[in-house]
Amino acid sequence: MIDNKLRRILFVCHGNICRSPMAEFVLKALVKAKGLENLYYIESAAVSTEEIGNPIYPPAKRCLTNHGVLFDAGKRARQVTPDDYDRFDRLICMDSSNLRWLHRVIPDDPQKKLHLLMSYTGRGRDVADPWYTGDFETTFQDILEGCEAMLKLPQ
């Protein structure tokens, strides 16, 4: 049985132009397909300031489009803030480096809200950064696997 409590999810990556917005829109698509969009509030943010205000990276947009995942073309990169810890139930990082950076912004995690996306699959490995690999498809598949696994867990 699903309760009616709103689940507030923040995906986090380095610049908020590739992996975290991909995860944001993949999870939004998955919850919409299950008719659960009224139970989720989903955003994404960056640990760095490098891309603040920039749109989703064009190859990430193409990958989402190729998979039929709708996204907000007006999405702009923003940096995670200490207030996000109180605003969200889970802050989900794409890799261990992002998690280390996030601990600089949010040094304490008494409610155990900080996670790696792939930890939901039973594997705590990183989601490869397509900024460096150019392989957006592998990144998409990792994100899809992580988001699907997260939705299967008791809420």
Side-chain angles (χ1 to χ4, degrees):
M1 184 170 127
I2 297 175
D3 67 39
N4 290 326
K5 179 184 177 288
L6 185 66
R7 291 133 180 99
R8 298 164 299 161
I9 310 287
L10 181 67
F11 289 106
V12 180
C13 72
H14 185 79
N16 193 215
I17 61 169
C18 295
R19 293 175 294 172
S20 61
M22 288 174 74
E24 173 184 347
F25 294 110
V26 165
L27 186 60
K28 284 179 177 179
L30 291 172
V31 299
K32 183 175 183 177
K34 294 178 180 294
L36 302 173
E37 63 267 37
N38 61 327
L39 296 178
Y40 284 84
Y41 178 79
I42 306 159
E43 281 188 26
S44 61
V47 291
S48 79
T49 60
E50 295 167 33
E51 300 290 347
I52 301 305
N54 288 335
I56 302 171
Y57 192 49
K61 288 181 187 179
R62 277 193 298 277
C63 186
L64 291 171
T65 299
N66 290 344
H67 286 280
V69 175
L70 300 177
F71 57 88
D72 177 0
K75 165 71 179 167
R76 295 291 182 262
R78 76 166 183 90
Q79 189 176 28
V80 68
T81 69
D83 290 340
D84 287 328
Y85 192 81
D86 293 326
R87 291 184 55 228
F88 291 92
D89 302 313
R90 293 185 221 160
L91 292 85
I92 302 172
C93 294
M94 299 296 116
D95 66 36
S96 53
S97 173
N98 304 151
L99 190 57
R100 283 191 303 276
W101 279 57
L102 186 57
H103 277 292
R104 292 177 189 157
V105 177
I106 302 168
D108 296 317
D109 182 18
Q111 297 176 43
K112 306 296 183 215
K113 293 182 177 187
L114 309 184
H115 304 268
L116 287 173
L117 178 60
M118 296 309 287
S119 68
Y120 292 101
T121 68
R123 297 182 309 260
R125 68 175 174 78
D126 294 345
V127 174
D129 191 341
W131 182 261
Y132 299 105
T133 66
D135 186 354
F136 286 82
E137 182 60 28
T138 295
T139 298
F140 179 88
Q141 293 303 324
D142 281 350
I143 289 168
L144 180 62
E145 181 184 0
C147 287
E148 287 175 336
M150 185 175 62
L151 285 176
K152 290 178 184 173
L153 295 176
Q155 303 295 317

